[in-house]
Amino acid sequence: MAAMEDVLELYAEPYDPVRPVVCLDEKSVTLHADFSPPLPARPGIPARSDYEYVRCGTANLFVCIEPLRGYRHITVTDRRTKQDYAQVVKWLVDEAYPDAAVIRLVQDNLNTHLPSSLYDAFEPAEARRLLRKLEFHYTPVHGSWLNMAEIEIAIIGRACLRRRPGDRATVERQVIALETERNEQHRTITWSFTAYDARTKLRRLYPIPQT
């Protein structure tokens, strides 16, 4: 409950460019190639593809979104190690928000989403420099739906991942095109579920419900 209300209170705050709220999440993508060439669409007949496919490994998407500004960035990696996570965090601090006083980072409880991951990737002084500009806010265990990055991941899935991406380069082209389009349109996310809603609609979860 404490973690949920912490995140909900954060979402209720007005936009602050000096202290941006950024949501970070990941999605694993399985790379599939067609076993046989798909048949193109013809008048009255939709495009068709064989149910058989060739597995070509996996890729990982790091999705960062600033909901109130309508800005997102997607990083495609081969894996999702602590070092990969640390590089994404470094990009946020040094390139995406170099002038921010602090980045309030909302993320789930994945075992790589820890301050210690930066020490696995960088020298101590560098890791400490990055952490001084970060404020971590974790969603509850089994409550990752509170991370607005999941909304963006669902949009990416519908727009880019329904068709079989056979390699990482294809995934990168598709997500970069979607990212550019949505950033140019400043697609924001309006979050309406508040701490008051939680105390009423989820009152059974609280040890001492609100009367």
Side-chain angles (χ1 to χ4, degrees):
M1 298 302 98
M4 177 177 66
E5 292 207 358
D6 173 60
V7 171
L8 293 177
E9 186 177 78
L10 190 66
Y11 288 168
E13 292 188 15
Y15 175 62
D16 185 352
V18 179
R19 303 173 69 240
V21 174
V22 178
C23 300
L24 168 65
D25 205 353
E26 303 177 30
K27 179 175 178 59
S28 179
V29 179
T30 303
L31 304 176
H32 292 147
D34 288 310
F35 184 78
S36 56
L39 301 177
R42 293 184 296 168
I45 301 177
R48 290 170 294 172
S49 59
D50 198 313
Y51 69 92
E52 289 191 77
Y53 58 83
V54 179
R55 187 182 173 96
C56 303
T58 60
N60 187 69
L61 307 182
F62 284 95
V63 179
C64 303
I65 180 166
E66 189 182 354
L68 294 180
R69 179 183 163 200
Y71 172 77
R72 74 271 299 140
H73 180 71
I74 307 162
T75 303
V76 184
T77 60
D78 291 326
R79 301 176 298 168
R80 59 168 192 85
T81 64
K82 292 182 177 181
Q83 288 75 18
D84 295 312
Y85 166 78
Q87 292 296 336
V88 171
V89 170
K90 178 177 172 61
W91 178 88
L92 283 173
V93 171
D94 290 344
E95 299 186 43
Y97 302 97
D99 299 324
V102 63
I103 300 169
R104 294 178 287 179
L105 192 61
V106 177
Q107 52 191 357
D108 61 18
N109 295 273
L110 198 63
N111 61 351
T112 56
H113 293 174
L114 299 170
S116 59
S117 294
L118 276 68
Y119 285 88
D120 286 335
F122 307 116
E123 294 181 355
E126 175 68 357
R128 195 71 237 159
R129 178 187 73 84
L130 296 171
L131 288 171
R132 288 193 193 101
K133 293 202 50 180
L134 296 167
E135 181 182 292
F136 294 94
H137 296 263
Y138 290 97
T139 60
V141 177
H142 308 303
S144 59
W145 58 272
L146 286 160
N147 189 340
M148 281 194 266
E150 287 206 350
I151 298 174
E152 194 70 18
I153 287 175
I155 294 170
I156 295 168
R158 291 194 300 268
C160 301
L161 304 178
R162 282 185 172 178
R163 297 177 298 276
R164 294 171 180 166
D167 51 51
R168 174 177 162 175
T170 300
V171 174
E172 287 181 325
R173 285 197 304 271
Q174 293 175 348
V175 299
I176 288 174
L178 181 65
E179 172 191 314
T180 302
E181 176 186 344
R182 290 179 59 77
N183 282 341
E184 289 176 348
Q185 296 172 353
H186 300 287
R187 292 295 185 92
T188 59
I189 296 176
T190 302
W191 186 268
S192 58
F193 190 76
T194 66
Y196 176 80
D197 295 325
R199 292 170 189 172
T200 53
K201 297 178 180 179
L202 303 178
R203 67 188 305 272
R204 63 182 176 81
L205 300 178
Y206 284 79
I208 303 177
Q210 181 167 285
T211 58

